[in-house]
Amino acid sequence: MRILHTMLRVGNLERSLKFYTEVLGMRLLRQKDYPEGRFTLAFVGYGDETAHTVLELTHNWDTEHYNLGDGFGHIAIAVTDAAAACAEIKKRGGKVVREAGPMKHGTTVIAFVEDPDGYKIELIERK
């Protein structure tokens, strides 16, 4: 078994695709409209779905905003240099909500960014 994808509901698909592809550097792997159900599914990631876990962005055409709730935590992405990744994300128009630095009560260097819908993405430094 392996994890295939994580699904996030997004209020504006084009805005979210721009963030995940242009700010975080993922690729749009596939996208399909479901007119009868009034929704679109878009899959983004860093590699082909056959070998990588990806994100499924679900856009329900009649919903512009979601309450994130308090159960969801974050998505984590490995980076070689968290400070450099934050600088690049800011340069591309992304929102850094916690600058790179050691995690609380630990030594691992982490940072957090936020997507257009408010979902948190943790950057974990792995040299």
Side-chain angles (χ1 to χ4, degrees):
M1 287 189 247
R2 74 176 180 90
I3 297 173
L4 299 176
H5 66 261
T6 295
M7 185 270 270
L8 299 175
R9 289 183 176 88
V10 300
N12 179 308
L13 183 59
E14 293 310 311
R15 181 184 68 191
S16 293
L17 285 173
K18 183 175 180 174
F19 173 80
Y20 284 99
T21 60
E22 295 179 18
V23 176
L24 292 185
M26 293 182 186
R27 290 188 349 246
L28 174 60
L29 303 170
R30 60 187 169 104
Q31 179 176 330
K32 184 173 180 181
D33 292 332
Y34 295 83
E36 289 184 16
R38 299 192 50 74
F39 68 94
T40 301
L41 301 182
F43 291 81
V44 295
Y46 292 112
D48 186 85
E49 291 176 79
T50 59
H52 295 85
T53 302
V54 301
L55 291 177
E56 173 189 330
L57 304 177
T58 297
H59 176 241
N60 293 297
W61 299 352
D62 301 315
T63 306
E64 293 181 16
H65 175 75
Y66 291 94
N67 294 320
L68 300 184
D70 59 5
F72 176 79
H74 61 269
I75 297 163
I77 297 174
V79 298
T80 55
D81 183 330
C86 286
E88 185 62 27
I89 286 168
K90 284 188 221 176
K91 184 174 142 187
R92 296 178 184 183
K95 180 180 178 184
V96 175
V97 295
R98 186 215 191 259
E99 293 290 341
M103 63 181 277
K104 203 178 217 180
H105 311 295
T107 58
T108 302
V109 175
I110 64 170
F112 279 89
V113 300
E114 194 173 88
D115 87 350
D117 288 282
Y119 293 109
K120 300 283 190 290
I121 297 109
E122 181 181 21
L123 307 176
I124 301 174
E125 194 169 278
R126 300 246 168 106
K127 301 237 179 218

